[in-house]
Amino acid sequence: MNKKNKVSIVIPVYYNQDNLLPLYNDISKKLFSKKDIEWEIVFVNDGSKDQSYKVMQELASKDKRIKNINLSRNFGSYIQKLNTKIWAWKLSLTNFKALKNFTQHIN
């Protein structure tokens, strides 16, 4: 039995209308051309007022592996990746402080 590896790529988008199609093409053609990988792209529009979200919608209409999230405003400069299985062991004090500052702004 061939089990496929599953990969989700989350891409923040902020005034990037001209870069989305080339980025999508690069990901789909070069990085994930292997048959053993099942992948998706999650574009997160972070309050762009240009045509970024329209481009995201066009890409999603052509490829079911694309998911879009449209936020009304930019929520910040930091991102923290957490693995729910091992987060308690891997989260450093520095990352914890950044995450704490981030969550204070959105609560």
Side-chain angles (χ1 to χ4, degrees):
M1 183 168 112
N2 291 337
K3 185 175 182 181
K4 288 189 174 191
N5 295 308
K6 295 181 180 181
V7 177
S8 294
I9 305 165
V10 180
I11 302 173
V13 176
Y14 190 66
Y15 289 96
N16 291 119
Q17 68 184 27
D18 296 331
N19 299 320
L20 294 175
L21 181 59
L23 176 63
Y24 165 76
N25 287 336
D26 189 47
I27 290 169
S28 62
K29 188 179 354 176
K30 294 179 183 175
L31 300 178
F32 294 101
S33 59
K34 298 179 181 178
K35 303 274 188 240
D36 62 337
I37 296 177
E38 183 179 323
W39 60 276
E40 70 177 352
I41 296 174
V42 180
F43 286 116
V44 181
N45 183 26
D46 205 7
S48 297
K49 303 296 182 207
D50 65 353
Q51 297 297 309
S52 292
Y53 191 65
K54 181 179 179 186
V55 174
M56 291 163 53
Q57 289 176 309
E58 290 171 0
L59 288 170
S61 72
K62 296 176 184 173
D63 189 334
K64 66 180 181 172
R65 297 172 294 190
I66 295 179
K67 313 293 185 272
N68 293 324
I69 298 172
N70 191 30
L71 302 175
S72 60
R73 64 179 182 93
N74 185 311
F75 284 91
S77 303
Y78 299 98
I79 187 166
Q80 177 64 51
K81 182 188 133 201
L82 298 177
N83 181 328
T84 58
K85 294 179 184 175
I86 58 172
W87 75 270
W89 296 274
K90 295 259 182 173
L91 194 60
S92 72
L93 181 60
T94 303
N95 288 340
F96 180 74
K97 287 179 182 176
L99 182 61
K100 182 179 176 187
N101 290 336
F102 172 72
T103 56
Q104 286 175 344
H105 292 292
I106 60 171
N107 290 334

